[in-house]
Amino acid sequence: MKDSLQMTEFDELIGSSSLQMMKAFLPFLEPSMQQWAAIYIQMQELQNAIALFQTPDKPPPWPRQAMPPPEKLIEALRPYGGPAESAALDQMKSAMEAMKLYQKFSDLQQKASGPLSPMDLIKEMLPPEQAAMFDTYSTMFQGMDFMNPQS
C-alpha cells in the first residue's frame, strides 16, 4: 500500500467526511462503477471549491501570506509530496545551501587582503559566539609548539 499523503488546508475546506468515506469505498465497487463514483466525488469537490470562492463579500478562506524564503517554502511543501518529490526538494535545498556557502566563501575572499587560511574559513562558518571562542583558543594555542614538546 502507498504511503498516505497529508491533506492540505484546501483539501480540508473542499472535502468532507462523507466524501472521504466514498473514496475509501471505491475499491469495493465493481470496476464499471468505480469510474463513475470517482468522477462524482471529484465533481463534488469541484463544486465545494467553486462555492468556497463564489461569494464576493466573503473574505478568502485564509489570509494571503508573504512568500517565504526558498528554504522555508521547500519545508512547507515537503510533507505533501511523495518520496520522489521529497528527494527532489531535498536536492534543491542542498544546492541552495551549497550556493550560500560558495557565496560566503567568495565574499570572504574579496574581503581578505591575502590568501585565506583554513582557520579563517572555519571561523567564518561559525556563529559569532563560537567564532569569538575560536579566536580565544587560537590565541591561546598560537604560542604553543605541539610538534616539539619539551620534557
Side-chain angles (χ1 to χ4, degrees):
M1 179 159 178
K2 293 182 191 176
D3 292 335
S4 62
L5 296 177
Q6 185 173 334
M7 288 182 69
T8 64
E9 187 177 350
F10 180 67
D11 291 324
E12 291 171 3
L13 287 170
I14 65 166
S16 68
S17 57
S18 61
L19 289 176
Q20 286 301 101
M21 289 175 70
M22 287 178 171
K23 289 177 185 180
F25 190 65
L26 279 174
F28 304 105
L29 294 174
E30 292 295 323
S32 61
M33 293 294 296
Q34 288 177 355
Q35 176 183 2
W36 296 110
I39 291 170
Y40 172 78
I41 292 166
Q42 292 296 293
M43 291 299 293
Q44 288 298 306
E45 288 182 334
L46 178 61
Q47 286 178 341
N48 293 346
I50 291 169
L52 188 64
F53 293 98
Q54 203 166 31
T55 311
D57 300 337
K58 186 178 173 186
W62 49 89
R64 183 175 185 322
Q65 299 177 12
M67 185 63 75
E71 298 85 9
K72 297 262 188 216
L73 185 58
I74 286 172
E75 287 305 312
L77 295 175
R78 197 172 187 289
Y80 301 105
E85 293 86 2
S86 293
L89 290 170
D90 289 343
Q91 282 184 324
M92 280 193 280
K93 188 175 178 184
S94 294
M96 286 188 289
E97 288 169 359
M99 286 189 298
K100 279 184 177 179
L101 189 59
Y102 176 77
Q103 186 61 49
K104 195 171 200 173
F105 176 73
S106 296
D107 293 346
L108 185 61
Q109 271 188 323
Q110 288 177 353
K111 286 193 285 186
S113 54
L116 291 172
S117 73
M119 296 299 212
D120 291 334
L121 291 173
I122 291 170
K123 187 176 123 184
E124 192 61 32
M125 291 183 216
L126 296 173
E129 62 277 355
Q130 289 181 354
M133 188 182 297
F134 185 82
D135 277 339
T136 303
Y137 285 122
S138 294
T139 305
M140 282 175 39
F141 293 124
Q142 215 167 21
M144 297 181 182
D145 188 0
F146 290 103
M147 298 304 288
N148 298 318
Q150 294 178 349
S151 307

